[in-house]
C-alpha cells in the first residue's frame, strides 16, 4: 500500500469514533468466520449469506489496514486473526492441487443450467461445436429449448440422451457422443429432476454421470428442499462417478462439503479456480456480487486436467467445461 494511502487511512482513523466502530464491526465478521469454520449453519438466511464468504474475507483487509494505520495494535491483531481464519477457508481454492497418476480415457464434460430454456440455443450450439464435449448435462431443460437444439443439430453431435425436457425449470438431461443408458437407480427426492446416467467409453469402461439440479435455498418449501436435494445425491465409491450441474451451493456450505468428503473433488478447486463465480449473469445489475454454485464433482480417483466457465446470452448461469482423465479399466 502506498504511503499516501496509508496517511489517508490514518487521517480518517484518527477520528475518535473510528476505533470503537471497528471493534463493533469485528463482532459480525468474527461470528461469520466461526460459523463457517465450524460448519454450524443456523437457518436465518445463512444458507444464502454464506455463499458470499469470499467477499467477507476480502472485506476484512480494509479494517485491518485501518487498525495498522491508526497504530491500535490490539485492534489490528484482532482483525488479523479474523482475516487469517478467512484466508484458511478461502485461499486454498485459488491454489491448484495434484492429481492421481492415471492413463485411462479422457472425457470432456459441459454442464449448464439453461435458465428454464431461455438460453440462446444458437449460442449454446456454437459453444458445443467449439468445445466438442463428450458429455453434456442440461438442467432447466425446457421443451422449447429441446426443439431448438434438435433443429440445430444437437443430435448429430451428441446423439444419445437420458432425461426429458419439462416446463417450469424441472427438466434435466444427460447427452453423450458415446453409448448411454439410465443410471442403475433413480435419484428420488423433492425438487427438479436429477438424472443419473451411465456412459460407456471407448474400450468399454463405464462412467456414471449425474445431471445435478438442487433446489435453491430460498423461502417457503424450497428452504427444506434445498438441503435434502443435495443429500440424495449418490456418494463416491464403486463405479467412477461425476456429478455436474447446479448445486445451488458453494464450497462454503457444509452440506456440499460433506458430499465432497465422501470421495469427490471439486474440479474448479483442483485447478486453483475455486473462486470462479457462476451465477447470476443475466437480469442482475453488473455490480451484484456473483457466487460459485455450479460445480463438477469428480471421483477422487479421476484426474482433473482442465476447468473453465463461460457465459451464454440470455442465461443466468455460466456454463462449465471440464476435462477429466480416468484410471485404466480395472485399476480404479
Amino acid at each position: 500500500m502506498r504511503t499516501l494511502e496509508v496517511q489517508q487511512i490514518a487521517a480518517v482513523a484518527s477520528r475518535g469514533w473510528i476505533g470503537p466502530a471497528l471493534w463493533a464491526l469485528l463482532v459480525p465478521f468474527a461470528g461469520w468466520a466461526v460459523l463457517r469454520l465450524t460448519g454450524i449453519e443456523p437457518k436465518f438466511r445463512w444458507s444464502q449469506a454464506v455463499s458470499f464468504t469470499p467477499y467477507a474475507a476480502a472485506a476484512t483487509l480494509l479494517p485491518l489496514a485501518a487498525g495498522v494505520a491508526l497504530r491500535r495494535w490490539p485492534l489490528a491483531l484482532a482483525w488479523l486473526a479474523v482475516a487469517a481464519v478467512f484466508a484458511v477457508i478461502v485461499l486454498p481454492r485459488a491454489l491448484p492441487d495434484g492429481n492421481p497418476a492415471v492413463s485411462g480415457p479422457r472425457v470432456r464434460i459441459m454442464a449448464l443450467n439453461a435458465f428454464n430454456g431461455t438460453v440462446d440455443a444458437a449460442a449454446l450450439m456454437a459453444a458445443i461445436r467449439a468445445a466438442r464435449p463428450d458429455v453434456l448435462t442440461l438442467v432447466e431443460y425446457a421443451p422449447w429449448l429441446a426443439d431448438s437444439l434438435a433443429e440445430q443439430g444437437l443430435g448429430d453431435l451428441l446423439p444419445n440422451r437420458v432425461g426429458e425436457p419439462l416446463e417450469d425449470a424441472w427438466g434435466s438431461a444427460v447427452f453423450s457422443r458415446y453409448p448411454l443408458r439410465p443410471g442403475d437407480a433413480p435419484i428420488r427426492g423433492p425438487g427438479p429432476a436429477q438424472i443419473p446416467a451411465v456412459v460407456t467409453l471407448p474400450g468399454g469402461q463405464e462412467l456414471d454421470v449425474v445431471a445435478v439440479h438442487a433446489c435453491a435455498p430460498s423461502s417457503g418449501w424450497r428452504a427444506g428442499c434445498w438441503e435434502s436435494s443435495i443429500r440424495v445425491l449418490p456418494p463416491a465409491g464403486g463405479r467412477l462417478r461425476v456429478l455436474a450441474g447446479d448445486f445451488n451451493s458453494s464450497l462454503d456450505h457444509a452440506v456440499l462439503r460433506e458430499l465432497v468428503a465422501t470421495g469427490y473433488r471439486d474440479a474448479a478447486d483442483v485447478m486453483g479456480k475455486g473462486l470462479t463465480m457462476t451465477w447470476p449473469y443475466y437480469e442482475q445489475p453488473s455490480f451484484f456480487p456473483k457466487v460459485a454454485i455450479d460445480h463438477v464433482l469428480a471421483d477422487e480417483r479421476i484426474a482433473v486436467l482442465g476447468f473453465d466457465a463461460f457465459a451464454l446470452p440470455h442465461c443466468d448461469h455460466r456454463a462449465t467445461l471440464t476435462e477429466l482423465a480416468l484410471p485404466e479399466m480395472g485399476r480404479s
Side-chain angles (χ1 to χ4, degrees), residues 241-261:
R241 181 180 294 111
V242 175
L243 312 179
D246 176 12
F247 289 74
N248 268 307
S249 305
S250 74
L251 290 175
D252 292 301
H253 287 96
V255 66
L256 181 57
R257 296 196 304 276
E258 290 168 4
L259 177 61
V260 171

Side-chain angles (χ1 to χ4, degrees), residues 155-192:
D156 297 330
L157 301 175
L158 300 169
N160 304 298
R161 186 187 81 193
V162 171
E164 298 296 334
L166 296 171
E167 296 186 3
D168 298 324
W170 288 69
S172 302
V174 179
F175 300 81
S176 174
R177 70 173 66 253
Y178 302 126
L180 190 67
R181 71 172 192 270
D184 297 337
I187 298 175
R188 304 190 185 280

